[in-house]
Amino acid sequence: MEDTQTRQGKRVLLVGGTGSIGRATAAALIADGHEVTALVRPGADTSALQACTLVSGAATDASDRRAALTGGFDAVVSCLASRTGAPKDSWAIDYQAHSDLLKDAQEAGVGRFVLLSAICVQKPLLAFQQAKLAFEEELQASGLTFSIVRPTAFFKSLSGQIDRLKAGKPFLVFGNGELTACKPISDADLGTYIARCLVDPGLQNRVLPIGGPGPAITPLDQAEMLFDLLGQEPKIRHVTPRLLDAIIGALSLAGRVSRKAAEKAELARIGRYYATESMLVLDPATGRYDADATPEFGEDTLREHYRKLLQGEIADDRGAHAVF
């Protein structure tokens, strides 16, 4: 007999549902026929979650988590992530809140857990990567059916220079503009992929790096794409990554006596990481990033996203994800 949990919609607790990827994941879960309850912060914008049952509370609060899990759920889906990437925030959210949620889910009899992580944990040089990886390891050892989704770059994280170009300023690239590459994925495609993890056995009990449709794109490719859409001759300014090293050094020195400076130093390290490391599958044998080994999913392209942004067909939801 076919497993009813395979062919029927599931009761899902969604955390992190008010972020752009969380909203897209909620829509994909609802479209697939799942019954979604979203744990949302008091005062958060829930306009995109009207098809969900909303429970007000914080993922960091034990009573709120347990209240949200009452009534029985088949799965937890987490799109929750720290806002800044600073060490204190990262360990509180990317690790501790998730660790506590996992324990509560186990006690409530939840059998599945789908986690939105990040591909950059392959090379964990930063606090937020180490915190994410620590929870990934805990989830894999939990005994629950798990899916750990590690997406490459998001469209919004590659849209931070559009206003510069519209103002006639050059596109900034580090080095020759080809130090890094990625296969960016749209929120909608990523949400669909996350939802699929609930029902596709081939996506379960696995760590899943995933990108959008290829080929891999460099910052130089992004610049040429944008200038082409704007109908302008490319204007590109090359910046040495050593500039970031100098900033990190100065902030780290100041950070010995100032917590605020120490936090800024970590943010600068995050900036340097993304300026110099590709968001592709890392070959541990060679230490090189491999575009061909990076899986692809979906149909949305960065070029079409840029076109819609430039023509005002979609809202600008770049927020803190802009690199420059």
Side-chain angles (χ1 to χ4, degrees), residues 21-22 25 77-81 94 98 113-118 132 136 147-151 154 190 194:
I21 297 167
T25 299
V77 175
S78 177
C79 296
L80 186 67
D94 296 313
H98 278 102
F113 199 117
V114 180
L115 173 70
L116 174 64
S117 186
K132 285 180 180 293
E136 283 192 15
S147 300
I148 297 172
V149 181
R150 292 179 175 177
F154 308 131
L190 181 55
I194 291 170

Side-chain angles (χ1 to χ4, degrees), residues 122-123 276-278 280-290:
Q122 300 173 110
K123 195 172 182 180
T276 57
E277 301 286 344
S278 291
L280 298 168
V281 167
L282 181 68
D283 184 340
T286 64
R288 296 178 179 177
Y289 294 101
D290 189 342

